[in-house]
Amino acid sequence: MSLPNNRVRVVLLTQAIGPLDYRLPDDMVAGPGNVVMVPLGPRKLPGVIWDDDVFGDEAIDSSKLRAVLELVECPPVALGLRRLINWVADYYLTSHAAVLRMVLSSSAAFTATGTIIEYRRTGFEPARLTPQRAAALDALEGAQGLVRELAAEAGVSDAVIRGLIKAGAFEAVTISVDSPLPEPLADFDTPKLNDAQQLAANSMVEAVRAGGFDTFVLDGVTGSGKTETYFEAVAEAIRLGKQVLVLLPEIALTAPFLARFEARFGVEPAVWHSNLRSTQRRRVWRAVADGSAKVLVGARSALFLPFANLRLIIVDEAHETSFKQEDGVRYHARDVAVMRGHFEGFPVVLASATPALESRHMVTIGRYKGLEIPSRFGAAKMPEIKAIDLTLDAPDAQHWIAPTLLKALEERVERGEQSLLFLNRRGYAPLTLCRTCGHRFQCPNCTSWMVEHRLVRRLACHHCGHVMPPPEQCPECGESDTLVACGPGVERISDEVNRLLPNARTIVATSDTLWSPEKAAEFVSRVENKAVDIIIGTQLVTKGYHFPELTLVGVIDADLGLEGGDLRAAERTFQQIAQAAGRAGRGEKPGEVFIQTRNPNHPVIAALVAGDRDAFYDAETEQRKSAGAPPFGRFAAIIISSEDEREAIEAARAVGGAAPQVDGMHVYGPAPAPLAMLRGRHRQRLLVHAQRSVEVQNIIREWLGSLQFPRGVRVGIDVDPYSFL
Ligand code: ADP
Ligand code: ZN
Ligand code: ZN
């Protein structure tokens, strides 16, 4: 179907409603992809002209349409990207608007080019500072940004910053939004690849040169030099004058990546993540859209940026579940990356030492191409992995490090080598209770325990961020000093190490301590400069990092991840421990890994100790197949929530009652979600389990579309869920 010449279909950016039709004024030249301002009621709103083949408000007569108000001077959203947006909206059952907001995710999309005013310290300290102003000055040493950003960073009001500007403590700096980014040099410092690396690189380089869609799974053991290898494909895209996107799972991995990139290509790449100042955001957004940013490294949200001529996407550590977005649009960046390659016609590389079972399966059935690098680069050997049976080699009471592991740590400290202790639990203790009455501290907003963070003297909820100071008295029985910590978190392990090995210099590395690229860079340089003997960290430090002096890895509790028992528990545990183990012995000195467990015979542990990855994957694949689980079948979760518990239950019952009968599909629930309350909302869940041939999205769209919900009820749909909470 095609619309008359002067009629256009517009997706509004801020409204979760379907596309609306408008009249294009005679003197305005615009087509699909153009950003425009249109009227809606009394308001003037931004939107994008869409293709005619999406459903609009056909019913309105052309002569009655309101006119497009203005054409925004901004790069249009290209056809391939519009198709991707259509696909994401369809597949993940969300609105075009919600996806489009991730594309036009900077005010750069709506402002003409030019300059902007930021503020920075002058070095002048006004006399008679209020405590607030003094604290703000301290906090903003070396900072630069808009008034609003500086206020947020210092945790003060805008007025405090404006006062400091007036007093002369800050000065204005004019920032050009569009100053050019430095160009990476394809052949700045080309490494000599070994044979396996060269073979893998050739395939990717060839695919970049040829253009066209293809998906590679770059499967190389930890330390095999995957980065060096895919850099060759990046170099080829640079030679062609095209653009590359590298997706990383955590912003904490950005800093070491930037350093390696600069060593290889002479300059740092452009960066995209949530911590950018708005001027940086704007500049990068523009440079991506006009094609001048050749290489962008970023978090998953970078995936939706309007690249002018993208030729390659690399998803590094592609198995990471943090590529799955859990709020807003619930999409999986790995899968959307592949779809972007498909719609825009370029290769996509999924790099990992422990590929997701789904990705590996795609190689098996011939949809993706597998590239393998089977051994570590240079003289480095894979570490030796041993299990410690905690029932035989037990730590003392209220201790968590077994004698064997402690001895190994001691030896490393003596030899001046480094160690990593891995425990995937932030804070001091996962549970705090009263010794007298047994009261447990629970979050007032969520069905979860408050986690003690001793370094900052707080109890915190890891689901909603609620914090409180540890009370002196038990709120239940009123007794003082009766609170006891139950179980270990990384801070507690750090205490244990400090007590048992007082000479060892330790560092706790988690998302609480490495929350920005700068903090992460500082951590890396401390470890590299050998100012640290023992790192105690969560999954955050188990991947990506390359510390040649690190020769010992201890996994404190290998059973932790297996307990939850969700669909991917075994796979995730295997990946996490294999990645953690992969940090050991990456230099010339051999590495050793101890896995503490109560079940040394568990298939996951046995496969890790035997170094038999294929055995694990094959057994796990068989299990998934017989259960009809992904990639052989699929799930979708429907979460119904309300502040009012009864309302949530009733709405969930209505959804359950309207569930269609479809061959090859089964609906479980409704039942209270495992996390029955989250951020003050009561949650009910239905789980749809279907064979691959079932068109789950269409079915759910029709099913839910026929229902009406009270205002206070929210219905969220999670297609291909990763979290089953
Ligand atoms: P992976 O990401 O596969 O775990 P890395 O890319 O971190 O491995 O590589 C491990 C180490 O080996 C890094 O220090 C890297 O610079 C080095 N390395 C890998 N390949 C080469 C090469 N061809 N020439 C020089 N150094 C290399
Ligand atoms: Zn008590
Ligand atoms: Zn909470």
Side-chain angles (χ1 to χ4, degrees), residues 319-339:
H319 63 281
E320 276 295 322
T321 49
S322 56
F323 282 120
K324 175 70 174 16
Q325 170 137 317
E326 293 294 353
D327 47 36
V329 181
R330 295 191 172 91
Y331 66 93
H332 199 305
R334 177 197 65 213
D335 298 340
V336 177
V338 172
M339 289 315 289

Side-chain angles (χ1 to χ4, degrees), residues 634-636 659-669 686-691 694 696 703:
R634 60 170 25 145
F635 289 104
Q661 295 283 338
V662 177
D663 273 349
M665 184 180 107
H666 192 83
V667 180
Y668 299 91
L686 293 101
L687 193 62
V688 179
H689 182 197
Q691 292 171 4
V694 175
V696 178
W703 166 15

Side-chain angles (χ1 to χ4, degrees), residues 489-508:
V490 282
E491 290 179 8
R492 196 168 198 179
I493 300 298
S494 164
D495 271 9
E496 181 172 335
V497 172
N498 291 337
R499 231 175 318 108
L500 299 177
L501 303 171
N503 295 328
R505 296 158 304 166
T506 59
I507 190 166
V508 171

Side-chain angles (χ1 to χ4, degrees), residues 434 436-439 474 476-478 482:
C434 168
T436 310
C437 74
H439 175 75
C474 171
E476 194 64 32
C477 67
T482 60

Side-chain angles (χ1 to χ4, degrees), residues 231 234 397 416 710:
F231 271 173
V234 174

